[in-house]
Each structure stands twice: as C-alpha cells, then as structure tokens.
Amino acid sequence: KAVIEFKDVKKVYPNGTVGLKNINLSLYEGEFVVVVGLSGAGKSTLLRTVNRMHDITSGDLLIEGQSIVNLKGKALRNLRRKIGMIFQGFNLVKRASVQRNVLSGRVGYYPTWKSVLGLFSKEDKQKAVEALKRVNMASKIYTRADELSGGQQQRVAIARTFMQDPTIILADEPIASLDPKTTKSVMDDLKQLNKDFNMTVLANLHSVDLALEYADRIIGLRAGELVYDKPIAEVSRSD
Ligand code: ADP
Ligand code: ADP
C-alpha cells in the first residue's frame, strides 16, 4: 500500500532556488527508505514537503491516498499528527524532565487546558513509560533533558514522536554529530519502531554505510532530481 506518493512534485523557493524537480516517487507501508545525496541536493526539502513544513510549487503529494496540498486547519493538524519528525539537534525543552518532554508529544497538535497545565492522564503517563522503555530510556524519566548526552536526547525525541502514534516517521539527519556508538543505538531504535509498528520511515543520511545497513530501499537525489532508486537487495557498493 502506497503511503506517500509524489506526483511530478516541483518545489521552487521564493528566491527562485529550485529545491525539487519533478519528483515521482511512491513509498510503501512499512518501508525504511533512506535518502542520500550531497549537501544541497534537496533531501531536507523532500522530507519537509511531506508534513507541509514546505509547500510544493506544482504537482501533487498524497498521504495514504489523500492529496495534502490544500489541507488547512484541522485536516492539516490531523495530517501532522500522523507524521513523527526527528530532526537534527532536536529541540527538547532543556529544563524540563524527560517525562515532560515525552508527554509533550501527546500535546502536540491537540493542546487541551489540562495538558497546558501539565496535567496528563494516567494512560498518557503509562504510554510515556512504554515509549521510553522502547528506546531504553525509562531509567532517565525524571532526569532533566539538558543532563542527557546527545544520543540520549535523540532517543527521547524518538519516544516523544511515539506518543503521536505516527504512521510515518521523517528523520532529517537524525544522527548528525553523534558518535558511532550512539549513532547505532539511535538507528537501531528507529529500525525497531519501523519493524514493530510497520511505520514507514523516510530518513535522510549522509552516511552510505548506514544507509546500506538500515535501509530497505535507497533513493538518491542530485540537484533536486531523483537519480537513484533501488531496493537494498539490488544496491551494489559500486553504484
Ligand atoms: P539537502 O538537504 O540535500 O542538503 P536542501 O533540501 O536543504 O538540500 O536544499 C536544496 C536546495 O534548496 C539547496 O540549493 C538549498 O540551498 C535550497 N534551499 C533550502 N532551503 C531553502 C530556503 N528556505 N530558501 C531558499 N533556498 C533553500
Ligand atoms: P540543515 O539541512 O543542516 O538543517 P539547511 O540547509 O536546511 O540546514 O539550512 C538551514 C535553514 O536555512 C533551513 O531553514 C533552510 O530552509 C534555510 N536555507 C537553506 N538554504 C537556503 C538558501 N539558499 N536560502 C535561504 N534559506 C536557506
């Protein structure tokens, strides 16, 4: 089942820079897709069109069969709720506990007066514990975010995403500036969520080695164009 479909998608920034040129691409349920390409190739732009952080200039973009280009208000919030985002240097609230940060994933696009006051249901708190267990961070639940290492923070960000019950995860350079060991644990966590919940993951990475290790499919961008698209079984190192 196609979860994300790009149809002749073009993105031109207001200053005239072409971010994406006529992208045609379908991503399927449960796929772990890694986007590779040089800096400036359009990887971030591609990811950011999926949750409408960036609007496309022409073409169409479908999520679960529904065009998202004209969504507004509540429909747009519903779309974003389905999509978890893990971005580089992810902004946890530094002075707040891990628990609060994770619970804020629940507030997300649906703030209620209770959540604004920091009152969360028992179910939500239990869910936060479960999410933290998944990323091996349950023991840090009351630790302040700014006392965690970079990799631990990224894992908390993953747990926070999890509170939304997303069907799609966008990961923009999720491991930039992490050491190799931490990188592996963050990538393993992402892979685990992908497998356990059949979430579609679209991740942009600089490292070809990591792409080869974790992806089901690798796509390559160059100057805004899709120039490579192969399932991992057909990828050869010499490509
Ligand atoms: P990548 O993620 O592969 O490094 P980007 O998607 O960030 O590439 O950028 C693709 C192209 O679009 C680059 O030429 C970049 O400079 C340009 N670009 C990205 N964001 C903007 C923006 N907000 N305004 C204008 N140009 C942008
Ligand atoms: P990164 O990919 O490391 O997050 P970006 O290349 O996206 O960094 O740049 C950071 C910010 O600057 C982003 O908001 C991006 O949209 C914007 N940006 C990137 N290139 C340009 C550009 N050529 N003109 C204007 N804004 C840009």
Side-chain angles (χ1 to χ4, degrees):
K1 192 173 107 194
V3 175
I4 306 173
E5 293 167 88
F6 290 84
K7 300 195 167 176
D8 286 322
V9 168
K10 190 171 177 192
K11 167 68 186 174
V12 182
Y13 284 102
N15 67 0
T17 308
V18 178
L20 297 172
K21 290 179 193 166
N22 296 76
I23 301 287
N24 283 292
L25 177 68
S26 295
L27 307 181
Y28 298 93
E29 188 172 37
E31 272 192 313
F32 196 117
V33 181
V34 171
V35 193
V36 298
L38 297 175
S39 187
K43 304 181 298 297
S44 295
T45 305
L46 185 81
L47 261 63
R48 287 164 201 221
T49 58
V50 173
N51 70 346
R52 291 270 310 273
M53 261 169 101
H54 286 331
D55 283 328
I56 62 175
T57 309
S58 64
D60 201 1
L61 184 48
L62 285 71
I63 303 291
E64 295 173 344
Q66 189 199 5
S67 174
I68 64 162
V69 296
N70 293 315
L71 294 183
K72 290 192 190 72
K74 192 164 184 209
L76 184 57
R77 287 197 299 277
N78 281 336
L79 168 79
R80 288 179 171 153
R81 190 161 174 251
K82 278 191 251 190
I83 303 176
M85 293 192 302
I86 298 162
F87 282 6
Q88 166 185 340
F90 212 93
N91 43 331
L92 297 180
V93 180
K94 293 186 185 340
R95 299 166 65 95
S97 69
V98 164
Q99 182 192 41
R100 270 203 86 76
N101 271 286
V102 172
L103 282 165
S104 75
R106 196 80 185 128
V107 184
Y109 300 97
Y110 285 114
T112 62
W113 68 268
K114 283 190 174 175
S115 63
V116 168
L117 295 176
L119 303 171
F120 291 93
S121 68
K122 217 167 127 190
E123 288 73 27
D124 282 350
K125 285 183 183 166
Q126 190 52 39
K127 193 171 165 128
V129 172
E130 293 304 319
L132 285 166
K133 279 186 184 160
R134 295 216 142 255
V135 297
N136 264 316
M137 289 293 293
S139 64
K140 302 282 186 193
I141 188 160
Y142 299 119
T143 304
R144 261 172 58 150
D146 57 7
E147 289 166 18
L148 303 175
S149 71
Q152 289 174 330
Q153 289 189 28
Q154 198 60 299
R155 276 143 68 195
V156 171
I158 293 174
R160 175 175 61 180
T161 293
F162 193 70
M163 296 298 283
Q164 293 170 236
D165 295 316
T167 53
I168 296 169
I169 294 196
L170 304 176
D172 194 3
E173 302 279 350
I175 44 86
S177 70
L178 300 181
D179 63 69
K181 187 160 159 273
T182 315
T183 290
K184 192 166 161 33
S185 68
V186 169
M187 291 301 296
D188 286 343
D189 287 339
L190 272 179
K191 189 77 183 179
Q192 200 62 43
L193 291 179
N194 161 250
K195 286 281 157 279
D196 290 356
F197 298 91
N198 212 27
M199 287 176 192
T200 305
V201 176
L202 181 58
N204 107 43
L205 294 177
H206 268 111
S207 158
V208 172
D209 287 330
L210 283 176
L212 290 170
E213 189 175 348
Y214 289 94
D216 299 324
R217 175 176 171 192
I218 296 184
I219 63 180
L221 290 177
R222 184 165 63 211
E225 281 186 279
L226 189 67
V227 292
Y228 189 94
D229 182 2
K230 282 188 183 175
I232 195 74
E234 290 171 25
V235 173
S236 104
R237 266 191 185 267
S238 56
D239 273 0

